[in-house]
Amino acid sequence: MANIKGSDLLVKVLVDWGVKNVYGLPGDSIDTTIDALRRQKEKIKFIQVRHEEVAALAAAADAKYTDKLGVCLSIGGPGAIHMLNGLYDAKMDHVPVLALLGQVTSKSLNEGYFQEVNTPKLFDDVAVFNRTITSVDNLAEVVDQAVRSAYENKGVAVLTIPDDIPDQTLKTPYNSSAKAFSLAKPSLDQTQLKQAADLIQQADKPVVLLGVGAKGAGAEIKKFVETNKIPFIETLPAKGIIADEHPNSLGNVGKLGTKPAYEAMKSADLLLLLGTNYPYRPYLPNKGQAKCIQVDVKAENLGKRYAVDVAIQGDVAKTIAALNQQGKLRESNNFLAACQKNMANWNKWMAAKRKLATTPTSPESMVAYIDETAPDDLMYSIDVGTSTSWSARFLHVKETQKFAISAWLGTMGCGLPGAIAAQVAYPDRRALTLNGDGAFAMVMQDFVTAVKYKLPIICVVINNQKLAFIEYEQQSAGQLNYQIDLADMDYAKFAEACGGVGITVKSNEEFKQALDKAYQITDKPILINAYVKDNAPLPGKIVMDEAKGYMKFGQEYLENYWKIPELPPFKDILRQFF
């Protein structure tokens, strides 16, 4: 039998696990693995990016969109260090990612060689599996183990590979565990199901909060809330598990959420947490106010955010399906009707915002037009900042669409890598990314990656020449704004310089024309540089601490500049405070 290179066995394991794309940059300490990817390029595609952070962010996004393993690689030392931000995004959003890191050759290890960094120590906190390969004999086996661990723990597996080891050969092939692997789901406890059903029957004001752990359970949850007349709220990363326009939907909750969602939470006597570890306790029912049923596959999440009465460690879809089998558990429509009336008032207010006609462009109406014209299978990649706020308010995501953000890390610059990953994973669909100018500038060099691979992503840059979300954070904390202004840049010309299409718009009508044109272009990325009016994305409900902060900011501004600061319309403040 001919000798087989370790690098070829490594790539074979990835192919066995169904990996289609690997993101990264070649370089001396990873080139042996790169060479093996070249030999298998018909089975696995290597996407060359311009910055390793983008590789890791794209791998994390790939996992979010596909629910499969995302893979990235880099040289050791500086390249590996660059990847940390994207890997932390994967860790904190609980998605499976494999990071392959190069390293100096085995004989040079521990000698302080050029670019030698102690990557196992550096990546210890971000990784659920963290190993250095020391022999070609078990290289493929450890890669196989790393993939299993990433899936089982929904996290990041990191392998540090001295570059000489994959170049060594073996006579024995390795058969991966991919075909035999499956994740067992906890069985349902009938006593707990009865306890949950009893609480639902007794509740007058039940509310469902569902998170990304409810993926795949949308149909069962929809039947459950419809049958039992229960309003539901989605966490932002779960947007679209059930369509935003469902009549029982109250939108999202929190700073980016709706006022009806906040008020429903503060009225609830039963909280059903389905696949969510939602961290913002002030937006949940007050302590001791409500009974709580929580369903989560991870036992450590049960009762972590709110005192729980029935803690079900299990699959959300299976659990809700079992509750549905018990038929209708409650009859009253009173609370749902009150919530729907409240939501109708909110939607009426938002409808007026959607029609704003200003120069520069109103971000509300701009995002509303994205929503109105979006294909049924559009993939959204939303960056961090005011773009997150506008998408939460004005995108009505459908169950047939996809929606991804950096939920827990909240890292600026995630939008473009996410769109690249979405378009690579689903070439027959369209990806659209919404970014602030501050966030886009952090990763803008990789717009040329989309050009290189002819990815027709639509990149909308909300250009207000400032870190707008930080502006409002400072104000709500009672602080004067400092160092939030950004130098203007012609992002449309930048896009053209990369080989893509760039369009600058300064009015709502110009934006509509630009977006319509963008959908007609299918062989290159399009960037719309949208100059926007500096509208404030106020919280759905302004809580007392925020109101005090705005008052303090106004006082400080008056004392320092002898004039009253420009604030959001007073009627908006009143609506969202009272």
Side-chain angles (χ1 to χ4, degrees):
M1 181 178 291
N3 289 346
I4 307 170
K5 279 193 174 185
S7 58
D8 290 319
L9 288 176
L10 183 160
V11 174
K12 180 182 180 299
V13 171
L14 297 183
V15 171
D16 286 350
W17 280 97
V19 174
K20 302 296 184 185
N21 305 297
V22 176
Y23 299 87
L25 272 171
D28 56 355
S29 63
I30 197 70
D31 275 344
T32 303
T33 301
I34 294 287
D35 195 39
L37 287 169
R38 176 189 60 79
R39 288 192 290 273
Q40 295 288 339
K41 62 185 177 181
E42 299 305 318
K43 295 181 179 179
I44 211 166
K45 189 173 184 180
F46 179 68
I47 309 298
Q48 176 219 71
V49 298
R50 296 301 183 97
H51 195 290
E52 292 90 351
E53 178 185 14
V54 169
L57 285 168
D62 189 294
K64 293 174 189 180
Y65 287 114
T66 65
D67 295 321
K68 295 181 180 178
L69 184 78
V71 182
C72 53
L73 61 74
S74 79
I75 64 168
I81 293 167
H82 281 165
M83 296 180 79
L84 269 170
N85 189 49
L87 295 182
Y88 267 101
D89 178 63
K91 171 190 174 173
M92 296 178 71
D93 280 358
H94 305 289
V95 292
V97 165
L98 173 66
L100 304 174
L101 310 181
Q103 182 57 284
V104 300
T105 59
S106 302
K107 65 181 181 180
S108 299
L109 273 172
N110 304 315
E111 292 184 358
Y113 198 77
F114 175 67
Q115 291 190 334
E116 182 182 357
V117 169
N118 187 349
T119 47
K121 186 174 183 179
L122 182 65
F123 286 79
D124 182 63
D125 180 64
V126 79
V128 297
F129 184 93
N130 187 11
R131 300 285 190 276
T132 296
I133 302 297
T134 57
S135 170
V136 71
D137 296 333
N138 63 3
L139 170 60
E141 181 180 347
V142 177
V143 174
D144 196 28
Q145 186 181 353
V147 176
R148 292 198 305 270
S149 183
Y151 272 122
E152 181 179 4
N153 297 291
K154 294 184 178 180
V156 177
V158 176
L159 294 180
T160 299
I161 309 174
D163 196 46
D164 58 307
I165 290 178
D167 202 36
Q168 297 168 16
T169 59
L170 286 170
K171 289 187 177 180
T172 306
Y174 177 80
N175 296 315
S176 74
S177 61
K179 290 183 179 179
F181 181 80
S182 65
L183 290 173
K185 296 177 181 178
S187 59
L188 295 177
D189 185 308
Q190 295 302 315
T191 300
Q192 286 188 316
L193 285 173
K194 184 180 185 309
Q195 291 171 340
D198 289 345
L199 287 181
I200 294 164
Q201 287 174 329
Q202 297 162 16
D204 291 322
K205 299 177 179 179
V207 172
V208 166
L209 176 62
L210 62 97
V212 289
K215 272 189 175 182
E220 293 291 351
I221 298 173
K222 186 160 48 172
K223 179 180 178 181
F224 173 74
V225 297
E226 290 172 352
T227 301
N228 295 293
K229 302 178 176 61
I230 300 174
F232 72 88
I233 301 163
E234 291 175 308
T235 63
L236 187 56
K239 199 171 173 66
I241 289 180
I242 301 176
D244 283 331
E245 291 190 323
H246 189 282
N248 291 34
S249 173
L250 302 181
N252 311 121
V253 72
K255 284 184 180 292
L256 308 183
T258 70
K259 189 177 179 183
Y262 177 88
E263 292 176 343
M265 280 290 192
K266 294 306 178 182
S267 301
D269 62 4
L270 176 64
L271 175 64
L272 293 95
L273 297 171
L274 305 181
T276 179
N277 188 28
Y278 183 77
Y280 303 107
R281 289 188 176 114
Y283 292 94
L284 295 175
N286 296 332
K287 187 176 181 180
Q289 170 192 320
K291 299 288 186 180
C292 180
I293 300 166
Q294 186 171 3
V295 184
D296 203 293
V297 291
K298 295 187 71 173
E300 66 183 79
N301 290 341
L302 299 172
K304 187 174 183 178
R305 307 298 182 184
Y306 198 83
V308 66
D309 296 274
V310 181
I312 301 175
Q313 183 189 3
D315 177 70
V316 173
K318 287 174 63 177
T319 303
I320 301 302
L323 287 173
N324 284 337
Q325 289 174 4
Q326 301 188 31
K328 185 180 292 188
L329 297 174
R330 59 187 308 276
E331 295 283 350
S332 176
N333 189 47
N334 293 343
F335 185 58
L336 175 60
C339 289
Q340 288 174 327
K341 183 178 179 181
N342 207 3
M343 196 64 184
N345 290 333
W346 172 269
N347 286 333
K348 184 177 179 181
W349 180 20
M350 289 298 107
K353 294 283 187 183
R354 294 171 75 92
K355 295 176 182 177
L356 289 174
T358 61
T359 301
T361 310
S362 298
E364 298 96 327
S365 59
M366 184 178 80
V367 177
Y369 190 70
I370 293 173
D371 177 48
E372 292 160 11
T373 58
D376 287 344
D377 62 352
L378 185 68
M379 301 175 290
Y380 290 108
S381 179
I382 308 300
D383 218 308
V384 171
T386 55
S387 53
T388 319
S389 302
W390 302 131
S391 67
R393 294 275 167 82
F394 298 103
L395 292 181
H396 295 103
V397 181
K398 302 174 183 177
E399 293 161 17
T400 53
Q401 296 171 334
K402 291 182 180 290
F403 181 91
I405 60 171
S406 175
W408 281 74
L409 184 60
T411 182
M412 294 170 67
C414 65
L416 177 61
I420 289 172
Q423 199 68 77
V424 168
Y426 298 98
D428 296 330
R429 301 171 68 165
R430 294 299 292 268
L432 183 146
T433 176
L434 190 64
N435 322 256
D437 50 343
F440 179 71
M442 292 184 172
V443 294
M444 59 190 288
Q445 76 286 330
D446 268 281
F447 187 82
V448 77
T449 299
V451 173
K452 176 178 180 177
Y453 293 102
K454 296 181 172 60
L455 305 176
I457 64 174
I458 299 172
C459 182
V460 179
V461 177
I462 301 174
N463 192 344
N464 50 18
Q465 303 97 64
K466 65 172 62 175
L467 299 168
F469 201 83
I470 297 172
E471 175 185 25
Y472 307 124
E473 286 180 336
Q474 290 177 351
Q475 291 176 4
S476 66
Q479 300 163 354
L480 292 177
N481 293 131
Y482 183 63
Q483 291 292 2
I484 59 166
D485 295 332
L486 299 174
D488 191 15
M489 177 176 173
D490 193 330
Y491 292 102
K493 285 186 178 179
F494 162 77
E496 291 174 355
C498 290
V501 176
I503 308 171
T504 291
V505 301
K506 295 184 177 180
S507 70
N508 291 351
E509 193 56 39
E510 287 179 351
F511 177 77
K512 291 178 179 180
Q513 293 172 5
L515 186 61
D516 292 345
K517 178 181 177 180
Y519 280 115
Q520 304 305 312
I521 299 169
T522 59
D523 61 346
K524 62 182 67 175
I526 308 97
L527 186 148
I528 302 175
N529 178 30
Y531 285 93
V532 299
K533 188 174 177 62
D534 192 23
N535 295 345
L538 291 174
K541 168 69 176 180
I542 299 174
V543 297
M544 184 57 71
D545 285 346
E546 291 167 337
K548 289 178 179 178
Y550 278 118
M551 290 176 65
K552 182 182 177 184
F553 162 72
Q555 181 181 345
E556 291 273 350
Y557 194 96
L558 183 61
E559 291 175 356
N560 279 269
Y561 302 113
W562 293 94
K563 60 180 180 180
I564 297 173
E566 184 176 339
L567 291 171
F570 189 58
K571 64 178 181 179
D572 289 356
I573 296 174
L574 287 177
R575 279 171 173 165
Q576 285 166 267
F577 182 69
F578 293 105

